[in-house]
């Protein structure tokens, strides 16, 4: 696959690979799912099933080891800052768009996210909104959690 900047990535230990989604290549921003097989050090472009997220970069991608999935939130493409949430089943490489029971925060990019294994939830904070550099500055008021 083409070199890229600002994709999301997770380490998938059971399958000994790193999985990457999105990012920007020399040809533009993509919504490709690629992997690096750590046993063979071979790259592959995957053909995921389900509802594949739109092309994006600067998104959050975290690993839920117990659920054997990755969770993707937000990101940006041009002037569109995404306020969406997807899971990627790492056993089947299938995406699912999630409609959480609580409101998803406004679209954002270059934010921070972690998966809290102890309680089984995503936590995100900060980042930029819109296509400008209107920084979100109130971290305490701008922390968001999701878990199913």
């Amino acid at each position: 696959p083409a070199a890229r900047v600002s994709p999301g990535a997770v380490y998938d230990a059971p399958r000994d690979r790193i999985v990457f989604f999105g990012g920007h290549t020399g040809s533009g921003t993509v919504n490709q799912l690629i992997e690096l097989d750590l046993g063979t050090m071979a790259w592959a472009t995957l053909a995921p099933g389900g509802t594949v997220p739109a092309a994006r970069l600067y998104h959050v991608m975290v690993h839920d080891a117990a659920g054997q999935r990755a969770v993707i939130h937000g990101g940006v493409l041009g002037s569109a800052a995404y306020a969406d949430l997807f899971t990627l089943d790492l056993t089947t490489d299938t995406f699912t768009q999630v409609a959480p029971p609580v409101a998803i925060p406004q679209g954002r990019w270059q934010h921070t996210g972690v998966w809290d294994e102890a309680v089984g939830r995503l936590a995100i904070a900060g980042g930029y909104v819109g296509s400008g550099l209107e920084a979100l500055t109130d971290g305490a008021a701008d922390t968001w959690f999701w878990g199913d």
Side-chain angles (χ1 to χ4, degrees), residues 6 8 11 14 24-25 33 40 43 45 48-49 55 58 62 77 82 85 95 99 102 104 114-115 117 122 125 144:
S6 301
Y11 171 57
H24 189 81
T25 69
L33 186 66
T40 63
W43 289 93
T45 300
Y58 299 127
V62 299
L77 176 63
Y82 294 111
L85 184 68
F95 283 103
V102 296
I104 295 177
V114 296
W115 185 262
E117 290 287 346
L122 167 69
W144 182 79

Side-chain angles (χ1 to χ4, degrees), residues 5-103:
V5 296
S6 301
V10 296
Y11 171 57
D12 181 12
R15 283 153 287 283
D16 197 28
R17 66 183 182 160
I18 301 174
V19 178
F20 299 83
F21 177 76
H24 189 81
T25 69
S27 301
T29 303
V30 297
N31 69 337
Q32 293 175 326
L33 186 66
I34 61 174
E35 73 175 0
L36 173 61
D37 181 313
L38 297 174
T40 63
M41 296 307 291
W43 289 93
T45 300
L46 304 174
T51 304
V52 179
R56 65 191 64 212
L57 65 160
Y58 299 127
H59 49 286
V60 163
M61 185 172 181
V62 299
H63 185 227
D64 169 10
Q68 293 196 57
R69 65 185 177 177
V71 180
I72 296 172
H73 175 266
V76 68
L77 176 63
S79 62
Y82 294 111
D84 54 11
L85 184 68
F86 291 84
T87 59
L88 171 64
D89 183 324
L90 295 169
T91 66
T92 63
D93 295 333
T94 301
F95 283 103
T96 301
Q97 187 164 11
V98 177
V102 296

